[in-house]
Amino acid sequence: MDAPDTRALHEAVLAWYDVHARDLPWRGTSATPWSVMVSELMLQQTPVARVLPVHAAWLERWPTPASLAADTTGEAVRMWGRLGYPRRALRLHAAATAIVERHDGEVPAAYDDLIALPGVGDYTAAAIASFAFGRRHVVLDTNVRRVLARVVSGTEFPAQAVTRAERDVATALLPDDPATAATWAVATMELGALVCTARQPACDACPVAGLCVWRGTGYPAYDGPPRRGQAWAGTDRQCRGRIMALAREADSVGAAQVEATWPDAEQRERCLAALVTDGLLTQITPGRWALPG
DNA sequence: CAGGCGTGGCG
DNA sequence: TCGCCAAGCCT
């Protein structure tokens, strides 16, 4: 089966998005670049439903990069709540500081300026430039990668890391007009999020089912290397999470409270020290810790 | 560059 | 139930 016709693909996906796009607060003309940037950091590895309330509260409290930069990292971590990966809160705070220092408090529009900010990698830089400023960039997130793997390449899942071939496919498919390219980017992401999902793709509802190589070749099973899972029980990540949950809920925590969170003393102390090193906690007195003030 | 880094919902 | 998954980044 041949790769789908680019024009037919564009028309089908864009028409579908026009009807089915979710009305998310960081989309649309009223969303500021800062709102888009905050959403992108929060959405890294985190479902939309969990981001929505935190994003709203965050922008209410810190409507500009300067307002966040003027507050403490500890307050940023506290507001981050249970979104997970709390170092993202530190990076967002650091990015806000850099934006004030280097860009006069305005979120930059250029990819090169964006990717130089803490917590902003290739995907996030392309996403902000595209969604907030209408620029033309290849936006390769897990959704887009899965959609292109199936529709164009005929495989159920993409490789572990982005390959050159994969980027070439995405580049070739990117519409020439910047505004259309930006819509294409968000539309392919949305298609992956709502229809072409990882576990149970809703091909009946898919606008490009008739063009899809994976479907057209009978849904060949994934035959690549085993996909990386995430260990959890007993790991440092779980231990760190327990300690951070305590710290978010109180002004400060004592050694006895920390002890009660985790039985293995050596691991507990190691994680506590690492959290301090990471800047997520500070030792305020001997045997007492708090979010950094 | 493979592995570490949170959290919770869902099939 | 429990493994898989959710708009990655950093080292």
Side-chain angles (χ1 to χ4, degrees):
Chain A
M1 182 173 178
D2 293 334
D5 174 68
T6 298
R7 183 176 180 80
L9 212 49
H10 286 170
E11 287 184 4
V13 172
L14 292 172
W16 173 86
Y17 182 73
D18 193 48
V19 173
H20 297 282
R22 288 169 292 180
D23 184 18
L24 300 173
W26 45 85
R27 287 182 182 162
T29 51
S30 61
T32 63
W34 174 238
S35 172
V36 172
M37 179 170 176
V38 170
S39 80
E40 289 302 337
L41 270 287
M42 289 183 173
L43 286 163
Q44 291 168 2
Q45 302 282 282
T46 309
V48 167
R50 204 176 311 161
V51 166
L52 284 168
V54 184
H55 179 267
W58 191 280
L59 285 169
E60 174 77 18
R61 178 164 179 181
W62 298 304
T64 63
S67 57
L68 174 59
D71 215 325
T72 64
T73 57
E75 280 308 294
V77 171
R78 199 185 303 279
M79 278 295 279
W80 198 256
R82 306 189 68 81
L83 282 184
Y85 294 140
R87 289 187 294 188
R88 291 183 294 166
L90 296 180
R91 293 176 185 147
L92 185 51
H93 186 279
T97 302
I99 287 171
V100 169
E101 290 174 352
R102 311 207 282 254
H103 303 289
D104 201 23
E106 300 292 331
V107 175
Y111 174 93
D112 288 346
D113 289 331
L114 287 164
I115 203 171
L117 298 172
V120 178
D122 170 70
Y123 160 74
T124 303
I128 296 170
S130 184
F131 306 154
F133 299 104
R135 301 215 171 179
R136 183 177 181 274
H137 288 281
V138 170
V139 179
L140 267 187
D141 81 319
T142 187
N143 289 306
V144 175
R145 294 186 64 211
R146 189 175 54 250
V147 168
L148 296 186
R150 290 175 179 173
V151 177
V152 179
S153 307
T155 60
E156 184 177 13
F157 296 114
Q160 300 248 149
V162 177
T163 64
R164 175 58 191 271
E166 201 178 347
R167 190 166 286 280
D168 288 345
V169 166
T171 300
L173 241 42
L174 193 64
D176 293 328
D177 170 58
T180 309
T183 305
W184 166 255
V186 72
T188 47
M189 283 178 66
E190 192 79 333
L191 187 62
L194 299 182
V195 175
C196 193
T197 56
R199 296 189 196 176
Q200 280 206 299
C203 301
D204 290 347
C206 182
V208 294
L211 304 169
C212 180
V213 176
W214 186 50
R215 176 179 173 85
T217 53
Y219 299 115
Y222 176 74
D223 67 343
R227 301 158 76 218
R228 169 168 59 120
Q230 298 179 342
W232 175 245
T235 61
D236 284 6
R237 302 167 70 187
Q238 185 183 28
C239 181
R240 289 165 58 105
R242 294 253 182 96
I243 298 172
M244 288 306 296
L246 266 188
R248 281 194 305 268
E249 301 307 317
D251 288 335
S252 68
V253 297
Q257 291 171 277
V258 175
E259 256 187 70
T261 62
W262 200 260
D264 182 337
E266 183 183 336
Q267 185 177 21
R268 191 177 63 231
E269 295 308 316
R270 180 176 71 241
C271 289
L272 190 54
L275 289 170
V276 172
T277 298
D278 288 347
L280 286 165
L281 290 179
T282 52
Q283 187 166 14
I284 52 178
T285 64
R288 190 142 209 100
W289 295 266
L291 297 182

